[in-house]
Amino acid sequence: MSGPNTNYDPVEVSALDPANIDAAVEEALAAIAAAGSLDELKAVRTAHQGDRSPLALANREIGALPPSAKAEAGKRVGQARGRVAQALATRQVELEAERDERILVEERVDVTVPAVRRPHGARHPIELVAQRLVDAFVGSGWEVAEGPELESEWLNFDALNLGPDHPARQMQDTFFLDPVDSGLVLRTQTSPVQIRTMLEKEPPIYIVAPGKVFRTDDLDATHTPVFHQIECLAIDKGLTMAHLRGALDAFVRIMFGPETRTRVRANYFPFTEPSMETDFLCFTCHGEETWGSAEPCRTCGGSGWIELGGSGMVNRKVLRTCGIDPDVYSGFAFGLGIERALQLRHGVQGMHEIVEGDVRFSQQFGMEV
Ligand code: DAH
């Protein structure tokens, strides 16, 4: 700002020169007219109406004029600023209207276009069967236990008393991880979860362990390289085979209805002693042996019984490996394949339907998500 100007000479205070003021107005009006967007107009506003704009500078110079000159200069600058302000406001309204118009066009939603409907998914029946069994056992106070699918060979075999020469360890059954001496396998059974639990917890132990297992089988009507098992383990004082039979009966009743019974046959598993194979009464012919008849029962093949899975009293050696005194505690375990249980319970013919993941298959089991 210039100092006090006692001898007013408009030429000296060039900012207040009427020609300069007119020029500043013209320049501002041209810039306002040329502003094509609200952002551009904002820049124009700063340049022509802001504190450093020519007209703001001129306005400040008025203070330095002698009183006699102030009124006229004030009027001129005021009018000039008024014209600029008016033009800015008008252009602002125009540009806002243009923007709103454009948004309406660009962001138009055609509510009449048919929506892309996402078909509902469905819980896989393997999951449903596993859940049903787990729920029933949890309801009786058992706990759910889980283990990793990538398991150490020691937990999957050795600790379960499957020695280094056991045939199940051979290449044709087990997926070994590279390098072969990594000591890791894709677990071939859910039984290592028994070991993990016994190593971690003090008895009493009552666990149910559902999970995915892997074997080097080709996919056919009854086999799949990736399948599911469910395993139950109980360790307590005084458990006997009578308790095991009771648990097996409860299990098959949940799965196949209240009329179902079990029978057991001697078998061998390295981690149980004695070991048994469990059969349950055929839910189609109810045990009426139709073997050799013209039309043997399609579900059980005519024997009246259906094989469920393996079971037994936990081998004393396995208890000792897990730090549990076999003279104080005893226990039982059983395990079975969920795919097989599903095939039996729902009359699913082949394995392909179960593993293919077609939602239309899953939908038949009624649990949509
Ligand atoms: N792990 C066995 C298998 O995959 C099944 C099995 C048998 C589990 C006996 C058990 C058991 O818990 O006691 O063939």
mmCIF file of all heavy atoms in Angstrom, residues 256 260-261 263 265 278-293 295-308 340 343-345 347-349:
data_model
loop_
_atom_site.group_PDB
_atom_site.id
_atom_site.type_symbol
_atom_site.label_atom_id
_atom_site.label_comp_id
_atom_site.label_asym_id
_atom_site.label_seq_id
_atom_site.Cartn_x
_atom_site.Cartn_y
_atom_site.Cartn_z
ATOM 1 N N PHE A 256 -29.136 -92.900 11.683
ATOM 2 C CA PHE A 256 -30.039 -93.738 10.886
ATOM 3 C C PHE A 256 -31.384 -94.019 11.554
ATOM 4 O O PHE A 256 -32.145 -94.851 11.067
ATOM 5 C CB PHE A 256 -29.344 -95.063 10.536
ATOM 6 C CG PHE A 256 -28.065 -94.870 9.759
ATOM 7 C CD1 PHE A 256 -26.833 -95.004 10.368
ATOM 8 C CD2 PHE A 256 -28.097 -94.520 8.417
ATOM 9 C CE1 PHE A 256 -25.656 -94.808 9.661
ATOM 10 C CE2 PHE A 256 -26.919 -94.323 7.707
ATOM 11 C CZ PHE A 256 -25.705 -94.464 8.331
ATOM 12 N N THR A 260 -32.240 -98.291 15.080
ATOM 13 C CA THR A 260 -30.987 -98.900 14.630
ATOM 14 C C THR A 260 -30.232 -99.564 15.791
ATOM 15 O O THR A 260 -30.223 -99.045 16.901
ATOM 16 C CB THR A 260 -30.095 -97.826 13.974
ATOM 17 O OG1 THR A 260 -30.934 -96.968 13.222
ATOM 18 C CG2 THR A 260 -29.058 -98.439 13.077
ATOM 19 N N ARG A 261 -29.628 -100.695 15.501
ATOM 20 C CA ARG A 261 -28.783 -101.398 16.480
ATOM 21 C C ARG A 261 -27.413 -101.635 15.860
ATOM 22 O O ARG A 261 -27.272 -101.585 14.640
ATOM 23 C CB ARG A 261 -29.376 -102.768 16.806
ATOM 24 C CG ARG A 261 -30.528 -102.729 17.762
ATOM 25 C CD ARG A 261 -30.854 -104.137 18.262
ATOM 26 N NE ARG A 261 -31.384 -105.018 17.210
ATOM 27 C CZ ARG A 261 -30.823 -106.175 16.862
ATOM 28 N NH1 ARG A 261 -29.699 -106.569 17.421
ATOM 29 N NH2 ARG A 261 -31.372 -106.948 15.931
ATOM 30 N N ARG A 263 -23.797 -104.193 15.801
ATOM 31 C CA ARG A 263 -23.126 -105.433 16.229
ATOM 32 C C ARG A 263 -21.640 -105.205 15.956
ATOM 33 O O ARG A 263 -21.280 -104.369 15.112
ATOM 34 C CB ARG A 263 -23.666 -106.651 15.479
ATOM 35 C CG ARG A 263 -23.160 -106.749 14.075
ATOM 36 C CD ARG A 263 -23.529 -108.053 13.394
ATOM 37 N NE ARG A 263 -22.895 -108.077 12.080
ATOM 38 C CZ ARG A 263 -23.148 -108.974 11.141
ATOM 39 N NH1 ARG A 263 -24.044 -109.910 11.365
ATOM 40 N NH2 ARG A 263 -22.519 -108.929 9.983
ATOM 41 N N ARG A 265 -17.688 -106.935 15.291
ATOM 42 C CA ARG A 265 -16.908 -108.110 14.872
ATOM 43 C C ARG A 265 -15.456 -107.831 15.178
ATOM 44 O O ARG A 265 -15.029 -106.676 15.091
ATOM 45 C CB ARG A 265 -17.059 -108.318 13.358
ATOM 46 C CG ARG A 265 -18.422 -108.796 12.936
ATOM 47 C CD ARG A 265 -18.502 -108.892 11.421
ATOM 48 N NE ARG A 265 -18.583 -107.587 10.765
ATOM 49 C CZ ARG A 265 -17.751 -107.152 9.851
ATOM 50 N NH1 ARG A 265 -16.718 -107.876 9.472
ATOM 51 N NH2 ARG A 265 -17.936 -105.969 9.294
ATOM 52 N N THR A 278 -17.573 -102.252 13.303
ATOM 53 C CA THR A 278 -18.968 -102.082 13.734
ATOM 54 C C THR A 278 -19.900 -102.172 12.535
ATOM 55 O O THR A 278 -19.659 -101.531 11.512
ATOM 56 C CB THR A 278 -19.164 -100.703 14.394
ATOM 57 O OG1 THR A 278 -18.165 -100.539 15.377
ATOM 58 C CG2 THR A 278 -20.536 -100.572 15.007
ATOM 59 N N ASP A 279 -20.940 -102.935 12.683
ATOM 60 C CA ASP A 279 -22.005 -102.968 11.680
ATOM 61 C C ASP A 279 -23.265 -102.431 12.335
ATOM 62 O O ASP A 279 -23.410 -102.493 13.562
ATOM 63 C CB ASP A 279 -22.297 -104.408 11.224
ATOM 64 C CG ASP A 279 -21.088 -105.081 10.591
ATOM 65 O OD1 ASP A 279 -20.225 -104.351 10.070
ATOM 66 O OD2 ASP A 279 -21.023 -106.320 10.631
ATOM 67 N N PHE A 280 -24.167 -101.927 11.531
ATOM 68 C CA PHE A 280 -25.476 -101.554 12.091
ATOM 69 C C PHE A 280 -26.584 -102.187 11.249
ATOM 70 O O PHE A 280 -26.388 -102.511 10.069
ATOM 71 C CB PHE A 280 -25.620 -100.035 12.207
ATOM 72 C CG PHE A 280 -25.576 -99.307 10.903
ATOM 73 C CD1 PHE A 280 -26.759 -98.928 10.270
ATOM 74 C CD2 PHE A 280 -24.370 -98.978 10.310
ATOM 75 C CE1 PHE A 280 -26.724 -98.240 9.072
ATOM 76 C CE2 PHE A 280 -24.336 -98.301 9.110
ATOM 77 C CZ PHE A 280 -25.500 -97.926 8.485
ATOM 78 N N LEU A 281 -27.714 -102.333 11.914
ATOM 79 C CA LEU A 281 -28.840 -103.015 11.294
ATOM 80 C C LEU A 281 -29.291 -102.254 10.052
ATOM 81 O O LEU A 281 -29.435 -101.039 10.089
ATOM 82 C CB LEU A 281 -29.990 -103.050 12.310
ATOM 83 C CG LEU A 281 -31.035 -104.147 12.156
ATOM 84 C CD1 LEU A 281 -30.411 -105.526 12.272
ATOM 85 C CD2 LEU A 281 -32.111 -103.950 13.230
ATOM 86 N N CYS A 282 -29.512 -102.995 8.977
ATOM 87 C CA CYS A 282 -29.887 -102.337 7.724
ATOM 88 C C CYS A 282 -31.223 -101.604 7.896
ATOM 89 O O CYS A 282 -32.206 -102.185 8.365
ATOM 90 C CB CYS A 282 -30.005 -103.375 6.608
ATOM 91 S SG CYS A 282 -30.625 -102.640 5.083
ATOM 92 N N PHE A 283 -31.203 -100.321 7.525
ATOM 93 C CA PHE A 283 -32.433 -99.531 7.732
ATOM 94 C C PHE A 283 -33.477 -99.783 6.643
ATOM 95 O O PHE A 283 -34.599 -99.314 6.738
ATOM 96 C CB PHE A 283 -32.117 -98.036 7.845
ATOM 97 C CG PHE A 283 -31.252 -97.519 6.731
ATOM 98 C CD1 PHE A 283 -31.796 -97.163 5.519
ATOM 99 C CD2 PHE A 283 -29.875 -97.399 6.922
ATOM 100 C CE1 PHE A 283 -30.991 -96.698 4.496
ATOM 101 C CE2 PHE A 283 -29.064 -96.929 5.890
ATOM 102 C CZ PHE A 283 -29.618 -96.584 4.679
ATOM 103 N N THR A 284 -33.103 -100.536 5.612
ATOM 104 C CA THR A 284 -34.088 -100.837 4.569
ATOM 105 C C THR A 284 -34.824 -102.145 4.867
ATOM 106 O O THR A 284 -36.047 -102.184 4.951
ATOM 107 C CB THR A 284 -33.402 -100.923 3.183
ATOM 108 O OG1 THR A 284 -32.668 -99.727 2.962
ATOM 109 C CG2 THR A 284 -34.420 -101.101 2.072
ATOM 110 N N CYS A 285 -34.052 -103.231 5.078
ATOM 111 C CA CYS A 285 -34.722 -104.535 5.302
ATOM 112 C C CYS A 285 -34.814 -104.878 6.785
ATOM 113 O O CYS A 285 -35.337 -105.928 7.149
ATOM 114 C CB CYS A 285 -34.011 -105.635 4.527
ATOM 115 S SG CYS A 285 -32.363 -106.023 5.166
ATOM 116 N N HIS A 286 -34.269 -103.991 7.648
ATOM 117 C CA HIS A 286 -34.312 -104.171 9.101
ATOM 118 C C HIS A 286 -33.760 -105.518 9.541
ATOM 119 O O HIS A 286 -34.311 -106.175 10.423
ATOM 120 C CB HIS A 286 -35.735 -103.956 9.626
ATOM 121 C CG HIS A 286 -36.273 -102.616 9.216
ATOM 122 N ND1 HIS A 286 -35.830 -101.434 9.760
ATOM 123 C CD2 HIS A 286 -37.178 -102.273 8.270
ATOM 124 C CE1 HIS A 286 -36.429 -100.418 9.186
ATOM 125 N NE2 HIS A 286 -37.263 -100.899 8.269
ATOM 126 N N GLY A 287 -32.702 -105.925 8.876
ATOM 127 C CA GLY A 287 -31.993 -107.108 9.339
ATOM 128 C C GLY A 287 -32.566 -108.429 8.860
ATOM 129 O O GLY A 287 -32.078 -109.484 9.244
ATOM 130 N N GLU A 288 -33.576 -108.374 8.053
ATOM 131 C CA GLU A 288 -34.090 -109.647 7.531
ATOM 132 C C GLU A 288 -33.170 -110.107 6.419
ATOM 133 O O GLU A 288 -33.166 -109.511 5.342
ATOM 134 C CB GLU A 288 -35.511 -109.447 6.994
ATOM 135 C CG GLU A 288 -36.515 -109.320 8.102
ATOM 136 C CD GLU A 288 -37.835 -108.799 7.598
ATOM 137 O OE1 GLU A 288 -38.137 -108.984 6.406
ATOM 138 O OE2 GLU A 288 -38.537 -108.187 8.412
ATOM 139 N N GLU A 289 -32.433 -111.115 6.721
ATOM 140 C CA GLU A 289 -31.431 -111.549 5.744
ATOM 141 C C GLU A 289 -32.082 -112.032 4.464
ATOM 142 O O GLU A 289 -32.920 -112.920 4.480
ATOM 143 C CB GLU A 289 -30.555 -112.642 6.349
ATOM 144 C CG GLU A 289 -29.659 -112.070 7.441
ATOM 145 C CD GLU A 289 -28.767 -113.113 8.060
ATOM 146 O OE1 GLU A 289 -28.487 -114.113 7.390
ATOM 147 O OE2 GLU A 289 -28.371 -112.909 9.220
ATOM 148 N N THR A 290 -31.741 -111.388 3.394
ATOM 149 C CA THR A 290 -32.330 -111.758 2.103
ATOM 150 C C THR A 290 -31.260 -112.317 1.175
ATOM 151 O O THR A 290 -31.435 -112.380 -0.022
ATOM 152 C CB THR A 290 -32.988 -110.516 1.454
ATOM 153 O OG1 THR A 290 -32.024 -109.466 1.436
ATOM 154 C CG2 THR A 290 -34.214 -110.085 2.217
ATOM 155 N N TRP A 291 -30.149 -112.643 1.803
ATOM 156 C CA TRP A 291 -29.012 -113.205 1.076
ATOM 157 C C TRP A 291 -29.465 -114.383 0.219
ATOM 158 O O TRP A 291 -30.185 -115.243 0.667
ATOM 159 C CB TRP A 291 -27.984 -113.703 2.112
ATOM 160 C CG TRP A 291 -26.631 -113.942 1.548
ATOM 161 C CD1 TRP A 291 -26.254 -114.974 0.763
ATOM 162 C CD2 TRP A 291 -25.490 -113.131 1.747
ATOM 163 N NE1 TRP A 291 -24.942 -114.864 0.439
ATOM 164 C CE2 TRP A 291 -24.435 -113.739 1.039
ATOM 165 C CE3 TRP A 291 -25.242 -111.949 2.445
ATOM 166 C CZ2 TRP A 291 -23.154 -113.198 1.010
ATOM 167 C CZ3 TRP A 291 -23.971 -111.430 2.428
ATOM 168 C CH2 TRP A 291 -22.946 -112.051 1.709
ATOM 169 N N GLY A 292 -29.069 -114.450 -1.010
ATOM 170 C CA GLY A 292 -29.381 -115.596 -1.844
ATOM 171 C C GLY A 292 -30.796 -115.604 -2.395
ATOM 172 O O GLY A 292 -31.143 -116.426 -3.237
ATOM 173 N N SER A 293 -31.631 -114.678 -1.918
ATOM 174 C CA SER A 293 -33.001 -114.656 -2.443
ATOM 175 C C SER A 293 -33.001 -114.003 -3.827
ATOM 176 O O SER A 293 -31.994 -113.407 -4.242
ATOM 177 C CB SER A 293 -33.929 -113.896 -1.501
ATOM 178 O OG SER A 293 -33.735 -112.523 -1.669
ATOM 179 N N GLU A 295 -34.377 -111.367 -4.833
ATOM 180 C CA GLU A 295 -34.144 -109.930 -4.771
ATOM 181 C C GLU A 295 -33.504 -109.539 -3.444
ATOM 182 O O GLU A 295 -34.187 -109.102 -2.521
ATOM 183 C CB GLU A 295 -35.482 -109.175 -4.937
ATOM 184 C CG GLU A 295 -35.885 -109.070 -6.381
ATOM 185 C CD GLU A 295 -37.052 -108.112 -6.567
ATOM 186 O OE1 GLU A 295 -37.033 -107.021 -5.944
ATOM 187 O OE2 GLU A 295 -37.957 -108.467 -7.309
ATOM 188 N N PRO A 296 -32.186 -109.733 -3.346
ATOM 189 C CA PRO A 296 -31.542 -109.338 -2.085
ATOM 190 C C PRO A 296 -31.667 -107.837 -1.839
ATOM 191 O O PRO A 296 -31.752 -107.056 -2.789
ATOM 192 C CB PRO A 296 -30.079 -109.738 -2.298
ATOM 193 C CG PRO A 296 -29.899 -109.958 -3.749
ATOM 194 C CD PRO A 296 -31.246 -110.222 -4.350
ATOM 195 N N CYS A 297 -31.696 -107.462 -0.562
ATOM 196 C CA CYS A 297 -31.854 -106.036 -0.209
ATOM 197 C C CYS A 297 -30.755 -105.219 -0.888
ATOM 198 O O CYS A 297 -29.572 -105.550 -0.809
ATOM 199 C CB CYS A 297 -31.772 -105.879 1.302
ATOM 200 S SG CYS A 297 -31.705 -104.162 1.817
ATOM 201 N N ARG A 298 -31.173 -104.141 -1.532
ATOM 202 C CA ARG A 298 -30.208 -103.331 -2.297
ATOM 203 C C ARG A 298 -29.272 -102.538 -1.379
ATOM 204 O O ARG A 298 -28.149 -102.230 -1.735
ATOM 205 C CB ARG A 298 -30.971 -102.322 -3.161
ATOM 206 C CG ARG A 298 -31.696 -103.000 -4.277
ATOM 207 C CD ARG A 298 -31.301 -102.356 -5.585
ATOM 208 N NE ARG A 298 -32.381 -102.501 -6.527
ATOM 209 C CZ ARG A 298 -32.844 -101.517 -7.261
ATOM 210 N NH1 ARG A 298 -32.351 -100.308 -7.134
ATOM 211 N NH2 ARG A 298 -33.802 -101.727 -8.124
ATOM 212 N N THR A 299 -29.759 -102.181 -0.191
ATOM 213 C CA THR A 299 -28.936 -101.354 0.695
ATOM 214 C C THR A 299 -27.796 -102.157 1.312
ATOM 215 O O THR A 299 -26.652 -101.718 1.314
ATOM 216 C CB THR A 299 -29.804 -100.742 1.819
ATOM 217 O OG1 THR A 299 -30.932 -100.134 1.220
ATOM 218 C CG2 THR A 299 -29.036 -99.714 2.621
ATOM 219 N N CYS A 300 -28.123 -103.366 1.844
ATOM 220 C CA CYS A 300 -27.094 -104.124 2.567
ATOM 221 C C CYS A 300 -26.586 -105.310 1.766
ATOM 222 O O CYS A 300 -25.723 -106.053 2.246
ATOM 223 C CB CYS A 300 -27.636 -104.587 3.913
ATOM 224 S SG CYS A 300 -29.039 -105.706 3.748
ATOM 225 N N GLY A 301 -27.103 -105.517 0.593
ATOM 226 C CA GLY A 301 -26.648 -106.639 -0.230
ATOM 227 C C GLY A 301 -27.221 -107.958 0.259
ATOM 228 O O GLY A 301 -26.816 -109.022 -0.198
ATOM 229 N N GLY A 302 -28.123 -107.914 1.229
ATOM 230 C CA GLY A 302 -28.795 -109.141 1.665
ATOM 231 C C GLY A 302 -28.333 -109.662 3.005
ATOM 232 O O GLY A 302 -28.933 -110.567 3.566
ATOM 233 N N SER A 303 -27.270 -109.084 3.587
ATOM 234 C CA SER A 303 -26.752 -109.626 4.839
ATOM 235 C C SER A 303 -27.540 -109.133 6.051
ATOM 236 O O SER A 303 -27.434 -109.695 7.139
ATOM 237 C CB SER A 303 -25.285 -109.232 5.011
ATOM 238 O OG SER A 303 -25.192 -107.856 5.303
ATOM 239 N N GLY A 304 -28.291 -108.072 5.876
ATOM 240 C CA GLY A 304 -29.053 -107.523 6.998
ATOM 241 C C GLY A 304 -28.260 -106.525 7.832
ATOM 242 O O GLY A 304 -28.810 -105.846 8.697
ATOM 243 N N TRP A 305 -26.944 -106.423 7.569
ATOM 244 C CA TRP A 305 -26.100 -105.501 8.335
ATOM 245 C C TRP A 305 -25.267 -104.626 7.394
ATOM 246 O O TRP A 305 -24.935 -105.059 6.292
ATOM 247 C CB TRP A 305 -25.160 -106.273 9.255
ATOM 248 C CG TRP A 305 -25.893 -107.004 10.329
ATOM 249 C CD1 TRP A 305 -26.359 -108.280 10.270
ATOM 250 C CD2 TRP A 305 -26.274 -106.493 11.607
ATOM 251 N NE1 TRP A 305 -27.001 -108.609 11.418
ATOM 252 C CE2 TRP A 305 -26.963 -107.531 12.276
ATOM 253 C CE3 TRP A 305 -26.107 -105.261 12.256
ATOM 254 C CZ2 TRP A 305 -27.481 -107.367 13.555
ATOM 255 C CZ3 TRP A 305 -26.613 -105.118 13.529
ATOM 256 C CH2 TRP A 305 -27.303 -106.149 14.174
ATOM 257 N N ILE A 306 -24.945 -103.453 7.844
ATOM 258 C CA ILE A 306 -24.122 -102.541 7.036
ATOM 259 C C ILE A 306 -22.886 -102.169 7.849
ATOM 260 O O ILE A 306 -22.988 -101.846 9.046
ATOM 261 C CB ILE A 306 -24.909 -101.264 6.673
ATOM 262 C CG1 ILE A 306 -26.169 -101.624 5.877
ATOM 263 C CG2 ILE A 306 -24.036 -100.297 5.888
ATOM 264 C CD1 ILE A 306 -27.125 -100.454 5.696
ATOM 265 N N GLU A 307 -21.741 -102.198 7.182
ATOM 266 C CA GLU A 307 -20.492 -101.876 7.870
ATOM 267 C C GLU A 307 -20.410 -100.362 8.118
ATOM 268 O O GLU A 307 -20.646 -99.565 7.207
ATOM 269 C CB GLU A 307 -19.344 -102.300 6.956
ATOM 270 C CG GLU A 307 -18.069 -102.570 7.684
ATOM 271 C CD GLU A 307 -17.025 -103.093 6.701
ATOM 272 O OE1 GLU A 307 -17.207 -104.214 6.179
ATOM 273 O OE2 GLU A 307 -16.065 -102.350 6.447
ATOM 274 N N LEU A 308 -20.096 -99.999 9.361
ATOM 275 C CA LEU A 308 -20.033 -98.565 9.700
ATOM 276 C C LEU A 308 -18.596 -98.054 9.750
ATOM 277 O O LEU A 308 -18.241 -97.076 9.101
ATOM 278 C CB LEU A 308 -20.701 -98.345 11.070
ATOM 279 C CG LEU A 308 -20.685 -96.910 11.593
ATOM 280 C CD1 LEU A 308 -21.668 -96.051 10.806
ATOM 281 C CD2 LEU A 308 -21.032 -96.872 13.075
ATOM 282 N N ARG A 340 -19.333 -92.182 3.139
ATOM 283 C CA ARG A 340 -20.035 -93.463 3.123
ATOM 284 C C ARG A 340 -21.354 -93.340 3.895
ATOM 285 O O ARG A 340 -22.398 -93.827 3.459
ATOM 286 C CB ARG A 340 -19.133 -94.520 3.751
ATOM 287 C CG ARG A 340 -19.637 -95.899 3.545
ATOM 288 C CD ARG A 340 -18.640 -96.929 4.073
ATOM 289 N NE ARG A 340 -19.362 -97.998 4.766
ATOM 290 C CZ ARG A 340 -20.137 -98.874 4.156
ATOM 291 N NH1 ARG A 340 -20.300 -98.812 2.857
ATOM 292 N NH2 ARG A 340 -20.771 -99.800 4.846
ATOM 293 N N GLN A 343 -23.759 -91.579 1.711
ATOM 294 C CA GLN A 343 -24.252 -92.447 0.625
ATOM 295 C C GLN A 343 -25.326 -93.385 1.149
ATOM 296 O O GLN A 343 -26.364 -93.576 0.530
ATOM 297 C CB GLN A 343 -23.096 -93.264 0.041
ATOM 298 C CG GLN A 343 -22.185 -92.440 -0.861
ATOM 299 C CD GLN A 343 -21.113 -93.293 -1.524
ATOM 300 O OE1 GLN A 343 -20.460 -94.089 -0.869
ATOM 301 N NE2 GLN A 343 -20.946 -93.123 -2.814
ATOM 302 N N LEU A 344 -25.071 -93.946 2.322
ATOM 303 C CA LEU A 344 -26.029 -94.893 2.890
ATOM 304 C C LEU A 344 -27.320 -94.191 3.317
ATOM 305 O O LEU A 344 -28.417 -94.594 2.969
ATOM 306 C CB LEU A 344 -25.418 -95.559 4.128
ATOM 307 C CG LEU A 344 -24.323 -96.581 3.857
ATOM 308 C CD1 LEU A 344 -23.636 -96.959 5.157
ATOM 309 C CD2 LEU A 344 -24.931 -97.822 3.199
ATOM 310 N N ARG A 345 -27.154 -93.098 4.045
ATOM 311 C CA ARG A 345 -28.314 -92.458 4.644
ATOM 312 C C ARG A 345 -29.249 -91.881 3.593
ATOM 313 O O ARG A 345 -30.459 -91.883 3.739
ATOM 314 C CB ARG A 345 -27.824 -91.347 5.569
ATOM 315 C CG ARG A 345 -28.900 -90.743 6.419
ATOM 316 C CD ARG A 345 -28.258 -89.940 7.545
ATOM 317 N NE ARG A 345 -29.280 -89.521 8.492
ATOM 318 C CZ ARG A 345 -29.866 -88.352 8.457
ATOM 319 N NH1 ARG A 345 -29.538 -87.480 7.524
ATOM 320 N NH2 ARG A 345 -30.782 -88.041 9.337
ATOM 321 N N GLY A 347 -29.023 -92.620 0.164
ATOM 322 C CA GLY A 347 -29.089 -93.399 -1.071
ATOM 323 C C GLY A 347 -28.365 -92.741 -2.238
ATOM 324 O O GLY A 347 -28.772 -92.879 -3.380
ATOM 325 N N VAL A 348 -27.279 -92.001 -1.930
ATOM 326 C CA VAL A 348 -26.503 -91.398 -3.018
ATOM 327 C C VAL A 348 -25.709 -92.519 -3.687
ATOM 328 O O VAL A 348 -25.000 -93.260 -3.009
ATOM 329 C CB VAL A 348 -25.538 -90.317 -2.465
ATOM 330 C CG1 VAL A 348 -24.732 -89.715 -3.599
ATOM 331 C CG2 VAL A 348 -26.306 -89.245 -1.719
ATOM 332 N N GLN A 349 -25.856 -92.638 -4.998
ATOM 333 C CA GLN A 349 -25.261 -93.802 -5.667
ATOM 334 C C GLN A 349 -23.743 -93.718 -5.760
ATOM 335 O O GLN A 349 -23.034 -94.536 -5.208
ATOM 336 C CB GLN A 349 -25.852 -93.950 -7.083
ATOM 337 C CG GLN A 349 -27.335 -94.291 -7.095
ATOM 338 C CD GLN A 349 -27.644 -95.610 -6.376
ATOM 339 O OE1 GLN A 349 -26.895 -96.558 -6.506
ATOM 340 N NE2 GLN A 349 -28.731 -95.647 -5.618
#
